[in-house]
Amino acid sequence: MTAPARTDAPLGTAGPARPASWQVQAEVQDFYARQMRLLDEGRAEEWAETFTEDGVFTQNVKPEPWRGRAEIAARMRVGLDRLAARPVTRRHWLGMLIVDEGEEPGTWRCRFYALVFEVPDGGDPRPHLSAPGEDLLVRGEDGRLRIRHRLVEHDGAV
């Protein structure tokens, strides 16, 4: 018996992987470095701008995906405000990045591992969570990369 196809996967499981050019890989690496800093700096609205207008953010720890840039921004703002009220600094690290050509021209399937560290004021850094993730990146009309769909699966979630 085979497992049912994931309906929340950015690209599904079509064909063999075709690695993106080194130029695209460098651009994607820069995109993620800048995007993660926006989170760490509490800039939810700017972070949400890295998604397409109809972008989707799915996490296995949330009952429903966040749909559309406006909802993504609003929900992330709530979370970042809650975090800002705690005496802790949070840092996001994204690595082990694989960037493959997407099924459509001008799209890329990006798979990564995400680690989040927390540093209590006056304390030592400690791991907060780890998660594999997968994005479908597209190039917007303005030439900038944007996330059409993000799937994050927190390790250890039940």
Side-chain angles (χ1 to χ4, degrees):
M1 179 178 207
T2 60
R6 286 187 357 207
T7 58
D8 59 353
L11 286 179
T13 55
R18 297 181 326 266
S21 70
W22 65 267
Q23 294 96 333
V24 167
Q25 291 191 40
E27 181 182 12
V28 169
Q29 182 73 30
D30 182 72
F31 169 83
Y32 284 125
R34 293 173 188 282
Q35 190 200 40
M36 294 300 105
R37 283 189 176 259
L38 292 172
L39 274 183
D40 293 342
E41 295 168 1
R43 296 159 62 185
E45 295 74 19
E46 290 173 73
W47 178 82
E49 287 291 322
T50 66
F51 286 78
T52 61
E53 191 65 40
D54 62 348
V56 177
F57 183 22
T58 303
Q59 299 180 75
N60 64 335
V61 295
K62 303 289 183 190
E64 296 293 328
W66 300 353
R67 297 185 182 281
R69 189 183 291 156
E71 180 179 3
I72 291 168
R75 288 182 177 251
M76 187 55 70
R77 169 54 51 215
V78 169
L80 291 177
D81 287 349
R82 187 178 314 123
L83 180 65
R86 295 177 47 214
V88 66
T89 299
R90 190 173 281 179
R91 298 286 181 235
H92 292 76
W93 180 86
L94 194 143
M96 304 302 288
L97 181 61
I98 298 170
V99 182
D100 290 324
E101 295 289 331
E103 293 176 17
E104 302 170 30
T107 67
W108 296 272
R109 179 182 180 215
C110 303
R111 292 172 289 153
F112 52 84
Y113 290 130
L115 297 173
V116 179
F117 295 91
E118 284 193 347
V119 185
D121 288 356
D124 294 323
R126 62 176 185 242
H128 175 66
L129 68 86
S130 67
E134 183 174 331
D135 283 349
L136 174 59
L137 288 183
V138 300
R139 190 166 306 282
E141 291 181 14
D142 61 0
R144 295 174 54 197
L145 294 176
R146 298 246 193 294
I147 299 166
R148 182 181 292 163
H149 192 281
R150 170 168 284 174
L151 172 64
V152 175
E153 296 180 312
H154 295 231
D155 292 328
V158 288

